[in-house]
Amino acid sequence: MTEIRSVQLAEGFSVVVPQTEGALFSEVDFIHNEIFGERAYLKHGIQLSDSSRVVDAGANVGLFSLFVKQEFPGARILAFEPIPAIHRALVENLDSHGAKDVEVVRAALGRKAEEQVRFTFYPALPGNSTRYPEQKKVGQELTVAQIGQEALDSIMAGIEVEAGVRRLSDVLREWAPEGPVDLLKIDVEGAELEVMEGLDDADWRRVRQTVIEVQDLDGRLDAVRGILDAQGFEVTVERAANLPEVFRYSMVYARRTD
């Protein structure tokens, strides 16, 4: 059974995470260092302020949202997380840290609204939970060489859960029907294009900046960049520095210069 357990990530800073008994905490440590240590979402000209409106697509347990609220207390955030156990941890973390003006939606984002969609939740690696578990096989040979097949099988033991899918434009009409979206952050484990395709052209014109984690399978990186180019963004692509190249992860930074 998945439990919610507390993890101290820095002096005076702890979060709860969903995990099975005996699981390691390496993933949340990795994410914390990426967001708070390396400040990976404030690079290549990406800027926020106390008046920013931010969409956190793939909020996980809330580290990115907590980072934004720590740096820019007046920012408003719309956070999406579909996996039930992760969503519970997200809400608890936001509450325990007193994060105000963060609206949480327990749903995934996609090109169309769907009521019940199967996702795979990985209790040992919650941040890897996905609608597309077959994509998690990329690069597993390297992991097997490092830790062995038995350990990998344990880490990647998934549980099927169901969640709804919404279009981002539909939710924006409720949350912020007009005005800019200062940052659209997308980290959705394989569904990046679907999130982007759920945003109408009128709403794309409201987006000032976006940062997207992309695993480059089946030409996905070029497709993401193509959408951003067509929408008038200045785009910078950076290979994920802390992951071996075999996993094919990149960070895509895009901003408007007008």
Side-chain angles (χ1 to χ4, degrees):
M1 181 178 177
T2 304
E3 301 175 352
I4 301 293
R5 310 179 80 172
S6 179
V7 183
Q8 183 169 331
L9 297 172
E11 185 175 353
F13 184 80
S14 299
V15 296
V16 296
V17 297
Q19 66 169 56
T20 52
E21 186 176 356
L24 300 177
F25 292 113
S26 57
E27 184 192 57
V28 72
D29 287 328
F30 177 91
I31 297 171
H32 177 262
N33 179 66
E34 177 185 49
I35 295 173
F36 285 82
E38 299 175 5
R39 301 172 70 86
Y41 289 94
L42 293 181
K43 299 173 67 174
H44 300 291
I46 302 297
Q47 297 180 351
L48 294 174
S49 71
D50 260 350
S51 61
S52 291
R53 290 192 286 196
V54 177
V55 174
D56 185 357
N60 194 13
V61 299
L63 289 180
F64 174 71
S65 288
L66 290 173
F67 170 77
V68 171
K69 295 302 293 185
Q70 175 180 290
E71 298 286 314
F72 311 100
R76 290 180 58 203
I77 301 174
L78 177 62
F80 294 86
E81 176 52 54
I83 307 298
I86 303 176
H87 174 266
R88 290 196 300 272
L90 166 64
V91 171
E92 184 170 336
N93 287 327
L94 294 172
D95 288 346
S96 66
H97 286 275
K100 306 297 184 183
D101 294 321
V102 183
E103 182 173 332
V104 177
V105 180
R106 193 177 84 75
L109 290 171
R111 63 174 60 92
K112 63 180 181 179
E114 300 175 81
E115 289 189 5
Q116 290 184 315
V117 175
R118 289 184 179 181
F119 289 79
T120 300
F121 165 52
Y122 299 106
L125 290 173
N128 277 264
S129 302
T130 179
R131 185 174 181 173
Y132 303 107
E134 66 277 3
Q135 296 180 10
K136 294 301 174 182
K137 297 178 182 178
V138 174
Q140 284 193 0
E141 297 85 354
L142 176 62
T143 309
V144 169
Q146 292 174 329
I147 66 174
Q149 187 66 54
E150 184 176 352
L152 176 63
D153 291 343
S154 176
I155 290 172
M156 299 306 295
I159 299 171
E160 280 197 354
V161 298
E162 289 188 343
V165 176
R166 301 187 67 181
R167 295 181 72 250
L168 180 53
S169 277
D170 295 342
V171 186
L172 284 179
R173 278 193 287 272
E174 303 168 6
W175 182 67
E178 57 185 21
V181 174
D182 298 285
L183 178 62
L184 168 59
K185 170 261 190 186
I186 304 176
D187 182 0
V188 289
E189 304 301 319
E192 300 83 26
L193 285 171
E194 294 166 41
V195 174
M196 299 172 79
E197 291 166 359
L199 198 58
D200 298 334
D201 284 344
D203 288 321
W204 266 119
R205 289 191 287 272
R206 300 168 58 197
V207 176
R208 307 306 302 167
Q209 306 172 113
T210 181
V211 181
I212 308 170
E213 182 187 273
V214 181
Q215 188 177 25
D216 189 18
L217 304 178
D218 302 320
R220 189 183 303 153
L221 181 58
D222 285 343
V224 166
R225 182 158 194 165
I227 292 174
L228 295 172
D229 287 341
Q231 293 292 342
F233 288 91
E234 179 182 283
V235 181
T236 301
V237 178
E238 179 180 288
R239 287 287 182 185
N242 294 327
L243 292 171
E245 191 170 339
V246 68
F247 291 107
R248 306 182 191 176
Y249 279 100
S250 293
M251 297 292 285
V252 179
Y253 300 83
R255 61 192 183 96
R256 297 192 185 277
T257 57
D258 55 341

